[in-house]
Amino acid sequence: MEKTIDFKLFKKLLELEHQKYVPTNDIEGFNKYETYLNNFTNELKRYLSGKGFVVEYGCGIGNLAYIPWIRIAYPEISSDNKKGFFIGYQFGWDDHQAFLSILQGVDSIPPSEQKRVLLHNRDILRPLISTDSFIKPTRDWTPRIEGPQAKIRKGTSYADAMICYKPYQITRLPSPEELGKDLLEAIKIYDEIKPLVIEHKLVNNNVNNSTSQTSNIPKIRIIKKNSEEYLNSPTRK
């Protein structure tokens, strides 16, 4: 029997409009949101069991974080949510309720260096990604972010960290089948960038390699399959 993900939990997270719980001490609201986030994370863990991923979530302690997240990662290229490269679901943006993206850890980089390092790494990997459904952001892209300065700073750094992304809005949410295909597409992209991240020593956000060194690297090939066939393939790295 083919595994499926209960994306009703994902939809519920978008419906909660969790910003109303931030930064007030609404413990009941926080606990309700965290329960859905935990349950959806467990769905992803079950679906990806045995595939080599670490799956975890973060939403603050007591008060809901400005941008709650779920991280899906290979430990070899992301030791925690502050370092390396991983697949992320992020919630709480103003123009989109959520993003599914390939992104970089932010908090391990000194604030004065964040933008330079994140955009440098994006410049290396972005041209090498072939995808029909994920958006590859330009250097000047920033999603609309409103609220406290701390939220704006965090959201801006997350936007700089995205290599590619798929936005979601509750009013135009795709079907569960399409959401599942999006996750498989994210995994394909992630699998393909893994050796490039290691080759360019980007795991710890190293910026010693010049972007000019990538000119002779072949373009990433994305395997086009529409089901779990790719995820369960014995040749998948």
Side-chain angles (χ1 to χ4, degrees):
M1 183 176 178
E2 187 173 281
K3 290 183 181 179
T4 59
I5 300 172
D6 183 3
F7 279 103
K8 292 192 296 292
L9 295 166
F10 180 71
K11 182 178 181 181
K12 189 64 179 179
L13 286 166
L14 273 63
E15 289 174 344
L16 283 176
E17 299 181 21
H18 67 271
Q19 282 93 340
K20 66 184 179 183
Y21 305 136
V22 181
T24 60
N25 295 314
D26 184 349
I27 301 300
E28 181 180 353
F30 171 83
N31 289 339
K32 182 178 181 180
Y33 187 88
E34 184 178 28
T35 296
Y36 280 107
L37 190 63
N38 178 63
N39 289 345
F40 183 54
T41 302
N42 286 336
E43 276 288 293
L44 296 171
K45 286 181 179 179
R46 179 186 57 79
Y47 181 74
L48 298 171
S49 176
K51 308 303 179 186
F53 293 107
V54 172
V55 185
E56 62 178 357
Y57 74 89
C59 62
I61 301 175
N63 284 329
L64 202 62
Y66 291 124
I67 301 178
W69 50 266
I70 296 173
R71 182 178 74 105
I72 302 169
Y74 289 129
E76 303 96 305
I77 60 172
S78 178
S79 59
D80 57 47
N81 69 301
K82 298 179 181 180
K83 297 178 182 177
F85 293 75
F86 47 90
I87 301 167
Y89 283 99
Q90 295 176 308
F91 305 88
W93 304 82
D94 292 292
D95 50 356
H96 299 284
Q97 278 82 24
F99 285 107
L100 172 60
S101 63
I102 310 297
L103 73 161
Q104 310 168 61
V106 170
D107 294 338
S108 64
I109 308 171
S112 62
E113 291 290 298
Q114 274 184 6
K115 192 173 187 71
R116 182 179 69 85
V117 172
L118 295 173
L119 294 183
H120 172 94
N121 292 344
R122 182 201 286 179
D123 287 346
I124 288 177
L125 296 175
R126 181 179 177 273
L128 308 177
I129 294 173
S130 175
T131 174
D132 296 329
S133 58
F134 278 66
I135 298 169
K136 296 188 287 185
T138 59
R139 268 186 165 252
D140 58 356
W141 172 75
T142 303
R144 185 171 64 87
I145 310 165
E146 297 178 354
Q149 283 300 311
K151 177 183 179 182
I152 293 172
R153 285 195 300 271
K154 180 66 70 175
T156 300
S157 62
Y158 279 161
D160 290 340
M162 290 185 190
I163 308 301
C164 60
Y165 68 91
K166 188 78 175 279
Y168 299 114
Q169 292 179 310
I170 186 61
T171 55
R172 298 197 298 269
L173 194 63
S175 68
E177 292 75 19
E178 289 301 315
L179 290 169
K181 289 179 182 178
D182 289 345
L183 177 58
L184 286 174
E185 178 77 0
I187 290 170
K188 294 171 192 175
I189 297 170
Y190 190 53
D191 280 353
E192 295 289 349
I193 73 167
K194 179 182 175 181
L196 297 173
V197 167
I198 294 171
E199 177 184 350
H200 288 280
K201 299 181 174 63
L202 302 179
V203 175
N204 295 313
N205 302 100
N206 186 303
V207 294
N208 293 326
N209 295 286
S210 169
T211 55
S212 63
Q213 294 175 335
T214 67
S215 58
N216 295 321
I217 297 175
K219 192 173 184 180
I220 285 177
R221 175 178 58 87
I222 296 296
I223 302 169
K224 298 296 182 183
K225 296 183 180 178
N226 294 322
S227 70
E228 284 190 319
E229 182 183 357
Y230 171 74
L231 189 61
N232 295 321
S233 170
T235 60
R236 178 178 155 266
K237 300 299 182 182

